Each structure stands twice: as C-alpha cells, then as structure tokens.
Amino acid sequence: MSKILVVGSGFAGVWSAASAVRLARAHGAEDVSVTVVAPGDDLVIRPRLYEAGPDRMRVPLDRILGPVGVRRIPAIVTGIDTDRRTVTGVGSDGRSIRSDYDKLILATGSQLRRPRIPGAELVHDVDTLPAAAALDAHLHRLPEIPPADGRFTVVVVGAGFTGLEIATELVDRLRPIAERVPGEVPRIVLVERSDEIAPELGPGPRPHILKVLARLDVAQRLGVSVAAVDRGGVTLSDGSRIAAATVVWTAGVQASPLTADIPGDRDRLGRIHVDEYLRAPDAPGVYVAGDTAATPADERTRVLQCCQHALQLGKYAGHNAVAEDLGLPLVPFVGEPYVTCLDLGSTDAMFSNGWDRRVIATGAAAKARKQRVNELFIYPPTDDPDELLRQADYRFSVRQLAPQPENLDSVVNEVR
C-alpha cells in the first residue's frame, strides 16, 4: 500500500487530495491511499471571511472528499520528519498521532502576521473563521458598550486586497448596527504605511478604487503605521490619534510555520522554493502546494498567496505525487492567466486581467462576476464524486463551470 499524506485542508489541500485520487483511479492503482490531516472538519472559504455571517463560509470536508474515499485525520500537525517520513501531531481527542507517508503534500497555507505593538491583543482580523466570527460578534455588540467617541468607528490597518474588501464591506455592514443608536453614524478609516492606496495592485485599478472609497466616504491615512492600540482607539506613528472601538489588522501574511520542518530554501514570506513539479528539492517525497510554495506562475512572476493559485497548485501537486509513485511522467506546473477580482462594497467591484492588472470591468458588472467567483467558482463539488474528480484534473479550468458568455473567458476577453 502506497500512502499519500496531505497536510492541510484548505483549497490546496482539498484539490491535492482529489487530484491524487483521480490519477490513482485512472490507472487502477487500488493500493494507493490518500489521507488528509487537518484540525478542522470543514473547508473554510477563506476568501469570503470579510463578508457578513462568516460562520456560513465553510463546507464539510466529508461531503467533498468522503465520496471519493479520502481518509481524514482530525489533528493539529506539530512536526514533520522528512528523514523518517513521518508526521506527528495532536488529535481532536487530545491524543498524540503519528502517520507514515510515502509521499507528503504540504498544503498548510499562510497566516496573518500579527502586529508586535502595545495593545495587539485588542486587534481583530479576518484571517481565520474563529477570528472573523469574533469580529462579527464584536460589531453586533457595539450598541451595548458605553457611549464614547469612536464607538462606531473601525480602523482597518492595511489598504491592500483584504483591507480594501473588509473596509468597503463594513460601510453597509455596520450601518444597520449603528442605526440602533439614534444619531450614530459609522465611520471607516483605512491606515496604510505606503503613500498610496493598494500599493501591490499597481496604478491600473487605483483610480476606480479611489473613486469608490470617496463615494463610500471611507477615510484614508496614508504614509503612517499604527504604533499602539488601546480600548479607545489607535495611536499612529506620527503621534496622531484616531478614536475607534474596533481595529481590524490586514497587513501582511506569511507561510505556515510547518515549512520550517521541510529542508530547503525559502523566500521572504517563508514559502519553500520548489522545482517545476512542486517537489521540495532537499526533501525526497515531499511536494508543496498553495501558500507554502514559491514557484513561478509564468515567465514574469511567482505565484501569489491566493485562492486562485492554491487551486491550481493543489491539482498539480496531487497529480505529481501519485505520478511519481506509479512511475508515470511528472507534469511541470503552468499557471492559468492571472486575473484580479476585488470586492468594493455592496454594489461595486473591480475585475482586471494580467499582472499589470488592466481593468476590464467595474461597477455592477464586476460585482456580479465577483459574486459568481465567491459563490460558485471557488467551491468544490459536494456529494458528487464524479464531478469532483472531473474538476480535479490539472488541465481543468474554472472557465468550464459556466456557459458562454457568463464565464471568466468573457471577462478576460471582452476588451480584446
């Protein structure tokens, strides 16, 4: 029996497991077992945690992977020994677990870089389901706290992708909560250490983003960082102060700490440099997928720590892990054309094409497409093993999920 062990149950982990099963079945390899080790029972739809009702942003893993025979071990992995090819951890029942593997796929994702400032324990985030749920509960309790300046002010730290999505979402999300207290009006403030909004998105989308922020009356403090947080607000690096009862941190992510157990070189985000087949060069039998992998997306740039690339990387990693085990040719990773799909509140969004982020849709049209991405394209099939394995093919594209002209091809091609 050959053991494929996937550590992690995010998008990369789920699709690694499904892809591994697909190739094994295609070649009648009944002696290949696929097991996922992860602490939770669900695939958390992490790209949607900025939305209201975050507790619903999850899908039971047993409805996705159970129908194709993937075994699941609910446990927190605490160590990986690549010499002995073993994984150790703590199960959901508190007992120690130890699993051997022939091929390991590390897909434990990324995590927010928590701030090291006074009052950091008061900061909220939307990086995990528990954190997003805690923020949601905190917002609904705001009318119950004693009246004070800034009671319905939210400071969002970081004006990148996540910061923009949560800041613009909070405009309408906070309004009905504030209306429970006569005379109160919600205020959202974006704090960004760069001198520009959305520094990593470049100049293409910025004019539309700024237009939307102005329309939504989202305030901006640029060229400063947060020096300290207290229950009454934040102190900025220039000595100024913003009264606020809520602070949401979105500034920066890093690869899972488990990458430290895999020998090899890493990039500045802690991701493992892998070869073209997603193998860790210094750890035989180890593949890396999702936010823990550093590999070229194309000839111009490396993959990003994002859902779009995690889906693709998982399918290649699962395929190649089984292919190597069966003595089949490995497939070099080739990323699909990159698109950016940015939510900008209840009625707006921005869709762009390519690494230069050429804007091809905004407003209602882009919002409708963003909703399709959030509610359809990123969700794996449930209770449908045949469809799951069809989509687990590394050659499958999300563009095949919807008929023309509503699929992503129409978005990418509409201005050509």
Side-chain angles (χ1 to χ4, degrees):
M1 176 68 72
S2 178
K3 301 176 182 177
I4 309 295
L5 190 64
V6 180
V7 180
S9 62
F11 291 105
V14 163
W15 285 110
S16 291
S19 180
V21 171
R22 178 189 176 278
L23 188 61
R25 286 193 180 183
H27 288 270
E30 296 182 1
D31 62 339
V32 174
S33 70
V34 181
T35 301
V36 170
V37 184
D41 296 329
D42 304 305
L43 165 65
V44 175
I45 310 300
R46 194 178 178 195
R48 299 190 65 187
L49 292 182
Y50 67 94
E51 298 181 48
D55 189 61
R56 62 193 170 89
M57 307 306 179
R58 52 183 174 175
V59 183
L61 288 167
D62 290 341
R63 293 187 59 192
I64 304 169
L65 297 174
V68 297
V70 173
R71 181 187 175 212
R72 187 169 64 84
I73 301 176
I76 297 173
V77 172
T78 56
I80 300 171
D81 188 327
T82 59
D83 292 327
R84 293 183 173 86
R85 297 200 179 197
T86 60
V87 168
T88 53
V90 180
S92 57
D93 59 0
R95 297 180 181 180
S96 297
I97 65 107
R98 180 181 181 276
S99 294
D100 301 325
Y101 67 84
D102 295 296
K103 297 292 183 294
L104 174 75
I105 302 173
L106 183 68
T108 45
S110 59
Q111 61 186 40
L112 184 71
R113 290 176 179 167
R114 298 290 302 178
R116 296 181 178 180
I117 56 174
E121 71 279 2
L122 302 173
V123 169
H124 292 273
D125 66 75
V126 291
D127 192 52
T128 65
L129 183 54
L135 171 63
D136 195 54
H138 166 81
L139 294 174
H140 282 90
R141 288 195 300 267
L142 289 176
E144 302 168 11
I145 68 175
D149 188 23
R151 174 161 53 158
F152 291 98
T153 295
V154 179
V155 173
V156 177
V157 185
F161 195 101
T162 303
L164 288 168
E165 291 204 320
I166 184 66
T168 53
E169 169 81 7
L170 283 173
V171 172
D172 284 340
R173 185 171 160 186
L174 194 56
R175 184 175 293 114
I177 298 174
E179 287 175 349
R180 290 159 53 187
V181 180
E184 291 284 4
V185 177
R187 180 176 182 238
I188 312 298
V189 184
L190 268 171
V191 174
E192 169 57 52
R193 67 188 305 173
S194 171
D195 292 328
E196 295 181 306
I197 287 290
E200 76 272 25
L201 295 182
R206 192 167 295 126
H208 184 70
I209 292 171
L210 290 173
K211 178 181 177 181
V212 172
L213 293 178
R215 186 176 73 244
L216 296 177
D217 198 26
V218 174
Q220 303 160 42
R221 289 297 311 273
L222 305 179
V224 292
S225 57
V226 173
V229 178
D230 57 61
R231 295 192 181 280
V234 301
T235 301
L236 301 180
S237 56
D238 63 358
S240 62
R241 182 170 172 80
I242 303 173
T246 310
V247 180
V248 182
W249 195 275
T250 71
V253 295
Q254 60 190 13
S256 160
L258 280 174
T259 57
D261 287 356
I262 309 299
D265 297 329
R266 292 161 183 75
D267 69 2
R268 63 180 182 83
L269 300 175
R271 301 183 299 178
I272 300 168
H273 286 287
V274 295
D275 68 12
E276 60 183 329
Y277 306 112
L278 306 184
R279 296 178 297 191
D282 298 325
V286 175
Y287 288 78
V288 189
D291 289 359
T292 54
T295 192
D298 54 28
E299 68 281 358
R300 294 181 57 185
T301 189
R302 290 189 175 275
V303 294
L304 299 180
Q305 290 177 307
C306 67
C307 171
Q308 181 180 163
H309 287 147
L311 291 167
Q312 300 169 33
L313 289 163
K315 294 177 184 181
Y316 277 87
H319 178 98
N320 283 336
V322 173
E324 182 182 3
D325 206 57
L326 299 180
L328 300 171
L330 274 60
V331 179
F333 174 73
V334 178
E336 293 184 24
Y338 178 71
V339 297
T340 304
C341 187
L342 177 70
D343 216 348
L344 292 170
S346 60
T347 62
D348 214 317
M350 184 281 302
F351 232 111
S352 69
N353 182 30
W355 294 107
D356 57 353
R357 294 183 173 87
R358 178 172 53 94
V359 176
I360 58 176
T362 60
K367 182 67 177 180
R369 287 160 180 155
K370 174 65 173 180
Q371 289 174 330
R372 290 181 69 79
V373 169
N374 273 9
E375 298 169 12
L376 172 64
F377 294 140
I378 64 176
Y379 278 76
T382 55
D383 307 317
D384 192 343
D386 292 338
E387 181 60 18
L388 181 72
L389 296 183
R390 183 180 81 91
Q391 294 186 28
D393 189 337
Y394 68 88
R395 293 160 294 194
F396 181 88
S397 170
V398 293
R399 294 166 176 81
Q400 298 169 238
L401 288 176
Q404 293 283 358
E406 293 298 326
N407 67 3
L408 287 181
D409 283 335
S410 66
V411 178
V412 172
N413 293 323
E414 68 178 16
V415 296
R416 290 182 178 173

